[in-house]
Amino acid sequence: MIKRKAKGASKPIGECISQLQKCLRERLCHNRIPSRLEASEAQHKHLLGLLQRTANNGESNSVLIIGPRGSGKTALLKCVLRDLLQEKEVQKNLLQVHLNGLLQTDDRIALKEITRQLNLENVVGDKVFGSFAENLVFLLEALKKGDRSTTRPVLFVLDEFDLFAHHKNQTLLYNLLDVSQSAQAPVAVVGLTCRLDVLELLEKRVKSRFSHRQIHLLSSLTFAQYLERVASQLSLPDDFPDREFALDWNSSVRRFCEDKSVEGILQRHFNSSKDFRSLHMLLMLCLSRISTVNPTIKPADILEASRLCFSDAKSNMLHGLSILELCLVIAMKHLNDVYEGEPFNFQMVHNGL
């Protein structure tokens, strides 16, 4: 239907398909911030209130956002920051420092990254500090405004918060939380973690300086909402360049989502994971099959995409190997077990056949 109607449309079918793929790939791959979070309004309001008090009133706060992977912790924080930065005064004054426990593996690297993100490399220069705390206090002092009376508020976001608890003596966490508690400077510390027992990892001196505010995110998504998400992610917006093509595409998406075989495949994915990132990967694989020859999304597309998503990556590497090649792989596996990871050459593999 789309192909036939597009012949009389203002744009060629190929150009419409190209615009379609560009629009949907930006939506699925760039993880655009949603206009609102369906099941996290209370958590959004709570976190926004905390950060507003830091940005507007200079009140220091610390909070942990806890939830399983894919539950929307990062999306919640991004939505809050988007709403917070709509105020011009906040946008002008609030400084942000984003750290990740997978990247900043020790306090020295973390402090260097804090200095870089605050643009204070020239201020620090070749100064030598006696301790981590002395260095951090100097950085916060350098953020004071021209009259030296007030300090710009700083938001510290610690992704993979539990990994920072494994740093030696938890120096970074101790000093950040100590600053937030002692009101030396307006600082908000927001930690994101998927570990429910994260507080048990903290030392007593660190735990005593934490406010014990926790925001829990648990996925309460129903399958009906999951289907609505699929339809909304695949639908074209009202401002799509070719209006007639967009209407035909959106009607085909509705028929696609009502198909019983499609519902069965999506039910399987929903039961295995409610993570929207895995859903976006599934939809991206479907989208990659769209072309001028196949201008609509069909149940066969999602069936093939689902097969790719659930396939074993290790077994995929062995597909297509001959019997001889499989024998070589088995011999190498035996040699690797015998020599416990020590190097071996092809002659040793050949002798092991």
Side-chain angles (χ1 to χ4, degrees), residues 164-183:
F164 288 98
H166 297 299
H167 290 191
K168 184 180 179 182
N169 298 328
Q170 299 182 359
T171 308
L172 173 69
L173 295 180
Y174 172 77
N175 285 281
L176 285 179
L177 295 175
D178 185 57
V179 169
S180 69
Q181 189 189 53
S182 59

Side-chain angles (χ1 to χ4, degrees), residues 285-322:
L285 291 172
C286 292
L287 183 63
S288 65
R289 297 171 63 87
I290 301 299
S291 64
T292 53
V293 178
N294 179 34
T296 59
I297 191 167
K298 296 182 175 64
D301 298 330
I302 198 168
L303 179 63
E304 178 63 20
S306 178
R307 187 187 65 78
L308 292 173
C309 284
F310 281 108
S311 61
D312 186 3
K314 290 183 179 179
S315 62
N316 284 343
M317 291 190 293
L318 301 177
H319 287 169
L321 295 183
S322 65

Side-chain angles (χ1 to χ4, degrees), residues 267-279:
Q267 182 75 61
R268 182 185 177 195
H269 278 263
F270 177 78
N271 292 338
S272 63
S273 172
K274 297 179 177 65
D275 186 352
F276 282 134
R277 286 173 295 191
S278 63
L279 172 63

Side-chain angles (χ1 to χ4, degrees), residues 20 71 109 197 207 241 266 295 318 327 330:
L20 162 75
S71 58
I109 298 173
D197 63 341
K207 196 182 297 185
L266 291 176
L318 301 177
C327 290
I330 293 170

Side-chain angles (χ1 to χ4, degrees), residues 69 99-102 158-165 192-194:
R69 297 198 184 278
L99 303 177
N100 191 305
L102 295 171
L158 306 181
D159 209 348
E160 304 293 344
F161 181 87
D162 52 289
L163 297 182
F164 288 98
L192 290 84
T193 180
C194 58

Side-chain angles (χ1 to χ4, degrees), residues 249-268:
W249 171 265
N250 289 343
S251 63
S252 70
V253 168
R254 285 193 296 272
R255 291 194 301 272
F256 171 80
C257 292
E258 292 168 359
D259 190 279
K260 294 301 179 184
S261 61
V262 172
E263 281 192 18
I265 295 170
L266 291 176
Q267 182 75 61
R268 182 185 177 195

Side-chain angles (χ1 to χ4, degrees), residues 76-282:
L76 171 65
L77 181 62
K78 286 182 177 180
C79 281
V80 168
L81 289 177
R82 178 196 60 196
D83 297 342
L84 182 67
L85 294 176
Q86 287 178 354
E87 303 177 29
K88 290 185 179 180
E89 191 65 26
V90 173
Q91 189 175 9
K92 181 181 177 182
N93 289 330
L94 182 67
L95 297 171
Q96 298 182 44
V97 176
H98 293 261
L99 303 177
N100 191 305
L102 295 171
L103 301 176
Q104 284 74 48
T105 52
D106 61 48
D107 292 338
R108 181 185 58 82
I109 298 173
L111 191 59
K112 195 171 182 180
E113 182 64 15
I114 292 171
T115 306
R116 186 191 69 81
Q117 291 191 33
L118 294 177
N119 298 317
L120 294 175
E121 295 97 333
N122 295 332
V123 177
V124 174
D126 297 326
K127 288 184 174 64
V128 178
F129 299 96
S131 65
F132 182 96
E134 193 178 317
N135 197 339
L136 182 62
V137 170
F138 176 82
L139 292 177
L140 296 175
E141 285 286 329
L143 297 175
K144 287 189 174 179
K145 294 181 180 178
D147 57 3
R148 309 295 292 178
S149 60
T150 55
T151 306
R152 295 177 67 180
V154 186
L155 168 64
F156 288 92
V157 177
L158 306 181
D159 209 348
E160 304 293 344
F161 181 87
D162 52 289
L163 297 182
F164 288 98
H166 297 299
H167 290 191
K168 184 180 179 182
N169 298 328
Q170 299 182 359
T171 308
L172 173 69
L173 295 180
Y174 172 77
N175 285 281
L176 285 179
L177 295 175
D178 185 57
V179 169
S180 69
Q181 189 189 53
S182 59
Q184 299 176 37
V187 167
V189 180
V190 179
L192 290 84
T193 180
C194 58
R195 290 196 58 167
L196 295 174
D197 63 341
V198 65
L199 290 181
E200 303 303 319
L201 303 175
L202 302 180
E203 296 178 359
K204 285 185 178 180
R205 62 177 190 146
V206 178
K207 196 182 297 185
S208 65
R209 284 159 175 79
F210 176 55
S211 67
H212 289 267
R213 289 190 182 96
Q214 299 178 46
I215 297 175
H216 289 268
L217 291 179
L218 299 173
S219 180
S220 57
L221 193 71
T222 63
F223 183 63
Q225 292 172 324
Y226 192 79
L227 282 176
E228 289 177 7
R229 178 67 177 240
V230 172
S232 64
Q233 290 296 302
L234 289 176
S235 298
L236 289 174
D238 295 334
D239 58 353
F240 189 77
D242 193 313
R243 179 65 178 163
E244 186 178 356
F245 179 88
L247 291 174
D248 289 341
W249 171 265
N250 289 343
S251 63
S252 70
V253 168
R254 285 193 296 272
R255 291 194 301 272
F256 171 80
C257 292
E258 292 168 359
D259 190 279
K260 294 301 179 184
S261 61
V262 172
E263 281 192 18
I265 295 170
L266 291 176
Q267 182 75 61
R268 182 185 177 195
H269 278 263
F270 177 78
N271 292 338
S272 63
S273 172
K274 297 179 177 65
D275 186 352
F276 282 134
R277 286 173 295 191
S278 63
L279 172 63
H280 291 173
M281 173 61 71
L282 176 70

